[in-house]
Amino acid sequence: MRSLSHVSARGVIRDHEGTWAMCFAKNLAYGTNNDAELWGVKTGLELAFNLEIKKLEVKFETNSTFVVNALDDSSFKYTVHKTLIASGRLLM
């Protein structure tokens, strides 16, 4: 069973020299840590795409093995997050 709590996704986008470009925050109401991490990656990738940033490095505040595995392994199947994972893969 998933443990739901109040979560939000947030992040900072910096250029290749580490200079701040923009930040974002998204209130997700209730969800899991994995929900927050996936939404954070998706939102950050969308913003980077819109800013025409071609090379990026994604860093997590937490140890998010789930998110890394979900985005990296095309055979990874997790139905609850299927849409977010697919969106993240397309943006990468």
Side-chain angles (χ1 to χ4, degrees), residues 37-61:
E37 293 287 353
L38 283 167
W39 273 106
V41 169
K42 179 184 180 290
T43 303
L45 289 172
E46 287 173 337
L47 292 170
F49 179 82
N50 292 335
L51 291 169
E52 298 182 7
I53 297 172
K54 304 296 182 202
K55 292 183 178 182
L56 27 121
E57 179 180 328
V58 178
K59 295 184 180 181
F60 298 98
E61 288 183 9

Side-chain angles (χ1 to χ4, degrees), residues 38 41-42 45 71 83-92:
L38 283 167
V41 169
K42 179 184 180 290
L45 289 172
L71 294 173
T83 304
L84 281 173
I85 292 167
S87 296
R89 287 179 183 159
L90 282 174
L91 289 163
M92 291 171 51

Side-chain angles (χ1 to χ4, degrees), residues 3 7 11 14 23 28 31 36 38 48 54 60 70 72 75 79:
S3 175
V7 293
R14 300 179 186 275
C23 59
L28 301 174
L38 283 167
K54 304 296 182 202
F60 298 98
D72 191 43
S75 67
T79 57

Side-chain angles (χ1 to χ4, degrees), residues 7-79:
V7 293
S8 61
R10 62 190 183 282
V12 175
I13 297 177
R14 300 179 186 275
D15 68 14
H16 65 283
E17 295 177 344
T19 304
W20 179 90
M22 89 179 328
C23 59
F24 63 91
K26 182 177 193 88
N27 181 7
L28 301 174
Y30 287 92
T32 65
N33 289 343
N34 290 337
D35 294 328
E37 293 287 353
L38 283 167
W39 273 106
V41 169
K42 179 184 180 290
T43 303
L45 289 172
E46 287 173 337
L47 292 170
F49 179 82
N50 292 335
L51 291 169
E52 298 182 7
I53 297 172
K54 304 296 182 202
K55 292 183 178 182
L56 27 121
E57 179 180 328
V58 178
K59 295 184 180 181
F60 298 98
E61 288 183 9
T62 61
N63 180 8
S64 191
T65 305
F66 170 84
V67 174
V68 172
N69 290 339
L71 294 173
D72 191 43
D73 182 357
S74 61
S75 67
F76 187 90
K77 304 284 189 254
Y78 197 77
T79 57

